[in-house]
């Protein structure tokens, strides 16, 4: 009898990153159990997997108790609204999935003696006063502001993950994900990449918030998935930053998109949302050293591919 296939539980598996992880883990010969309550995830993202033998979808809110019959080798906790607009629309769910959801998935990992990977975020650094951000920086977060629901739930998630590591010896990994983009983002999710693409493709002006001088560093999803795969298989607990260190102002990003599309687009300025970080760029020294990982896809190439995908989807 051959060895049984390793089983990976991926929460948020019907979301943007989660669904790409489902694809990758299946391609690596694993069995994937995708758990999602579909509040921001979408069955369309995993429709192509519905007939795959090693793929199982469970519609469930991971903030509630979760039981799974059978062995589990790794748990990847990716469930959470991830766009500022989404977590403003679902503040309580965001807090619950980062706290109760992390507790439940850690409990599962403990019970099954599985390896555990937490998807944390650059948002734990808040509006950072240290630049670029290193894992040793503790951050500058407003717990009371509208973004606090996401920032604090992820900070709590990191804390409880470390508590399970220290108290129960759960074999944990923590990654801090910086802005990531690519196919399967929701066109209306409110983040800058889909927003500008939607606006540009439908002849609307690009809505730059504030002066547009705030910066972000955009990582293509395939680079991130590779980093996550390496992190899970490494022996580093983390946290480890995963992101592309090439930094752009939002205005530069708008101009790049306009250049790629080769058509005229107006830019309109709108108020900057509260607590919007002024700068963000990962220091990826740890990932380079421990994972031998470096992003490969530059923003222009990644954006071209993303544009093609959005055009194929239709834009409603
Ligand atoms: N932004 C913008 N126009 C938009 C959407 C976002 O200028 O239509 C800005 C936003 O204020 C922020 C940056 O783009 O400075 C990235 O925003 P996003 O919502 O993608 O994610 P964040 O990095 O803030 O979590």
């Amino acid at each position: 009898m051959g060895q049984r296939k390793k089983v990976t539980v991926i929460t948020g598996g019907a979301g943007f990153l989660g669904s790409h992880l489902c694809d990758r883990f299946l391609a690596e010969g694993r069995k994937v159990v995708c758990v999602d309550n579909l509040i921001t995830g979408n069955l369309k993202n995993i429709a192509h997997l519905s007939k795959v033998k090693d793929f199982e979808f469970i519609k469930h809110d991971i903030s509630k108790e979760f039981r799974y019959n059978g062995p589990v080798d790794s748990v990847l906790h990716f469930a959470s609204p991830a766009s500022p607009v989404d977590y403003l629309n679902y503040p309580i769910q965001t807090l619950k999935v980062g706290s109760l959801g992390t507790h439940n998935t850690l409990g599962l990992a403990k019970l099954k003696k599985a390896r555990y990977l937490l998807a944390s975020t650059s948002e734990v650094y808040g509006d950072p006063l240290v630049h670029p951000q290193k894992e040793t920086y503790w951050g500058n977060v407003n717990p009371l502001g509208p973004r606090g629901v996401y920032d604090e739930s992820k900070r709590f998630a990191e804390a409880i993950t470390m508590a399970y590591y220290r108290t129960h010896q759960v074999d944990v990994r923590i990654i801090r994900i910086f802005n990531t983009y690519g196919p399967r983002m929701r066109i209306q999710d409110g983040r800058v990449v889909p927003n500008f693409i939607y606006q540009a493709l439908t002849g609307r002006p690009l809505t730059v918030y504030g002066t547009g001088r705030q910066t972000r560093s955009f990582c293509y999803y395939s680079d991130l998935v590779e980093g996550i795969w390496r992190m899970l298989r490494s022996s580093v607990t983390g946290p480890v930053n995963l992101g592309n260190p090439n930094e752009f102002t939002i205005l530069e990003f708008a101009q790049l998109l306009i250049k790629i599309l080769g058509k005229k687009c107006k830019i309109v300025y709108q108020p900057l949302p509260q607590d919007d970080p002024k700068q963000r760029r990962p220091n990826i020294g740890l990932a380079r050293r421990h994972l031998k990982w470096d992003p490969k896809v530059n923003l222009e190439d990644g954006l071209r591919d993303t544009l093609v995908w959005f055009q194929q989807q239709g834009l409603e």
Side-chain angles (χ1 to χ4, degrees), residues 84 147 179 191-192 195-196 207 209 214 216 250 276 280:
R147 297 178 84 104
N179 295 64
R191 283 184 277 190
V192 69
N195 255 18
F196 282 6
T207 53
Y209 300 159
Q214 70 272 30
R216 294 293 185 273
I250 294 305
D276 197 280
R280 186 183 285 157

Side-chain angles (χ1 to χ4, degrees), residues 82-85 87 121-123 147 150 178-180 185 189-196 199 206-218 250-251 253 268 270-273 275-280:
S83 142
V85 173
Y87 48 77
T121 167
S122 57
E123 281 281 322
R147 297 178 84 104
Y150 185 63
F178 284 63
N179 295 64
T180 304
M185 293 182 99
D189 92 353
R191 283 184 277 190
V192 69
V193 175
N195 255 18
F196 282 6
Q199 291 159 351
L206 307 191
T207 53
V208 169
Y209 300 159
T211 60
R213 284 202 293 268
Q214 70 272 30
T215 67
R216 294 293 185 273
S217 310
F218 299 97
I250 294 305
L251 217 46
F253 174 69
V268 293
Q270 294 188 354
L272 191 69
D275 300 329
D276 197 280
K278 287 182 265 315
Q279 50 183 0
R280 186 183 285 157

Side-chain angles (χ1 to χ4, degrees), residues 64-91:
K64 305 206 168 80
E65 191 182 278
F66 177 67
R67 291 185 186 281
Y68 185 76
N69 273 333
V72 174
D73 301 279
S74 42
V75 178
L76 273 55
H77 185 33
F78 275 72
S80 179
S83 142
V85 173
D86 284 342
Y87 48 77
L88 295 190
N89 285 333
Y90 301 107

Side-chain angles (χ1 to χ4, degrees), residues 134-195:
K134 253 185 153 169
E135 291 85 348
T136 45
Y137 177 48
W138 291 355
N140 177 40
V141 168
N142 173 6
L144 302 178
R147 297 178 84 104
V149 298
Y150 185 63
D151 305 11
E152 294 298 355
S153 79
K154 291 291 190 181
R155 288 165 70 96
F156 174 88
E158 290 196 6
I160 192 172
T161 299
M162 291 311 292
Y164 267 67
Y165 170 67
R166 295 192 185 106
T167 309
H168 297 307
Q169 289 74 49
V170 174
D171 184 18
V172 306
R173 308 281 181 276
I174 298 174
I175 52 167
R176 291 182 177 155
I177 300 172
F178 284 63
N179 295 64
T180 304
Y181 69 99
R184 301 189 193 158
M185 293 182 99
R186 267 176 27 247
I187 190 83
Q188 303 280 16
D189 92 353
R191 283 184 277 190
V192 69
V193 175
N195 255 18

